[in-house]
C-alpha cells in the first residue's frame, strides 16, 4: 500500500495479468478486492495437501474476511447492509472466477 499525495494505491502482485496496466489502474469498488482475496483463499485451499475447493478448513477464513470488512465499513454508506452485501460480494467473486477461466 502506498500513500501518494493523499491517494492510496494498493499493490497486488498476482493481479489480473490479461488486463492492461491502464485498466488495472482504474479505481474500483473496494469490495472487489475482498472478492479477490476470497478467490485467493480458494486457490490456496485447492493447492493444499488434501485440499479441494470448499474444504471445511477454509470456512473460518472465508467468513472472517467479509465479516471484518462489514464491521469496518457498515455505517459509512460505502456498501449496502444485509442481503444486498452478500449478493454484491457473491457477484464480484463470480466475476473473478469468470476471469480465471481459460479463453
Amino acid at each position: 500500500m502506498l500513500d501518494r499525495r493523499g491517494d492510496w494505491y494498493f499493490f497486488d502482485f498476482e493481479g489480473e495479468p490479461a488486463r492492461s496496466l491502464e485498466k488495472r489502474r482504474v479505481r474500483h469498488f473496494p469490495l472487489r478486492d475482498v472478492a479477490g482475496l476470497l478467490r485467493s483463499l480458494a486457490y490456496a485451499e485447492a493447492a493444499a495437501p488434501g485440499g479441494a475447493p470448499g474444504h471445511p478448513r477454509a470456512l473460518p477464513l472465508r467468513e472472517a474476511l467479509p465479516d471484518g470488512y462489514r464491521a469496518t465499513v457498515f455505517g459509512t454508506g460505502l456498501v449496502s447492509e444485509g442481503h444486498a452485501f452478500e449478493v454484491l460480494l457473491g457477484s464480484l467473486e463470480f466475476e473473478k472466477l469468470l476471469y480465471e477461466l481459460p479463453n
Side-chain angles (χ1 to χ4, degrees):
M1 188 166 52
L2 173 70
D3 177 15
R4 183 169 181 235
R5 297 184 200 135
D7 263 343
W8 287 95
Y9 295 88
F10 293 86
F11 292 92
D12 178 358
F13 293 101
E14 182 181 279
E16 296 177 338
R19 292 178 65 198
S20 70
L21 184 58
E22 181 181 347
K23 286 183 180 179
R24 285 185 273 159
R25 286 185 170 170
V26 172
R27 290 182 182 199
H28 60 265
F29 190 50
L31 194 56
R32 184 178 304 276
D33 294 324
V34 175
L37 288 168
L38 290 173
R39 290 298 311 144
S40 293
L41 289 173
Y43 306 148
E45 188 55 44
H55 192 283
R57 69 179 166 206
L59 290 178
L61 292 172
R62 288 194 57 83
E63 292 171 359
L65 183 61
D67 287 350
Y69 184 80
R70 271 191 216 103
T72 302
V73 300
F74 275 180
T76 65
L78 186 60
V79 296
S80 298
E81 297 188 26
H83 185 66
F85 177 87
E86 298 298 330
V87 171
L88 181 56
L89 180 57
S91 298
L92 292 169
E93 189 174 0
F94 184 66
E95 178 185 50
K96 291 283 189 179
L97 184 139
L98 291 176
Y99 172 83
E100 297 163 15
L101 294 175
N103 294 329

